[in-house]
Amino acid sequence: QMVQDCSKADFVWAASIAELPPLHQLKQGSAEYPDQSATCVLDVTTWRAAAASEADAVTLRGPGVRDVLTLAVDGIDASFVQQHHVMQEHAPCGVDMFFCAGDAVLGFPRSVRLQMRGDLGSQACT
């Protein structure tokens, strides 16, 4: 069933990260049922392995990531990373995301920690 209120949606599809509603407006689950949060499916043009020194690189750490993974994902910017940090302040609540590019899918569990070059706020998300 389609709903207009994104805070009630179990699944959210967006044609790009720019079209995704702010993460705090999406269904976050609860401390008792964090799995009852939204799952977002986002179309992106591309993602690729990147060096942490690249301006558009995002570094992933935490559950679901072996060691560290650094990627450039079309549409992920400092604003998106900041929204993700705010969402993680309410862990284990939050949304899971799948980025689709062509015939490949990249998943970010709600527990993954994101950091961009020069991002000092990410230190609070442990």
Side-chain angles (χ1 to χ4, degrees):
Q1 175 183 1
M2 299 282 284
V3 297
Q4 296 300 317
D5 182 352
C6 60
S7 69
K8 293 182 174 27
D10 293 324
F11 294 93
V12 176
W13 278 268
S16 68
I17 292 175
E19 293 185 24
L20 181 68
L23 296 179
H24 74 273
Q25 292 181 3
L26 302 177
K27 190 174 175 183
Q28 301 289 311
S30 66
E32 297 82 21
Y33 300 103
D35 59 319
Q36 292 183 358
S37 63
T39 298
C40 300
V41 180
L42 306 157
D43 286 329
V44 295
T45 305
T46 184
W47 71 77
R48 61 178 173 74
S53 60
E54 293 181 46
D56 61 347
V58 62
T59 301
L60 290 73
R61 290 181 170 87
V65 178
R66 177 177 281 170
D67 300 320
V68 175
L69 179 62
T70 303
L71 303 169
V73 180
D74 177 47
I76 290 185
D77 59 11
S79 172
F80 179 85
V81 171
Q82 181 58 36
Q83 288 183 57
H84 199 270
H85 290 178
V86 170
M87 177 186 76
Q88 286 192 319
E89 291 174 6
H90 307 286
C93 300
V95 297
D96 296 315
M97 290 173 251
F98 292 93
F99 299 88
C100 302
D103 63 352
V105 176
L106 171 68
F108 282 23
R110 63 183 165 263
S111 58
V112 75
R113 295 183 310 274
L114 306 180
Q115 181 179 7
M116 292 194 85
R117 191 179 88 186
D119 178 12
L120 300 175
S122 67
Q123 300 305 315
C125 297
T126 58

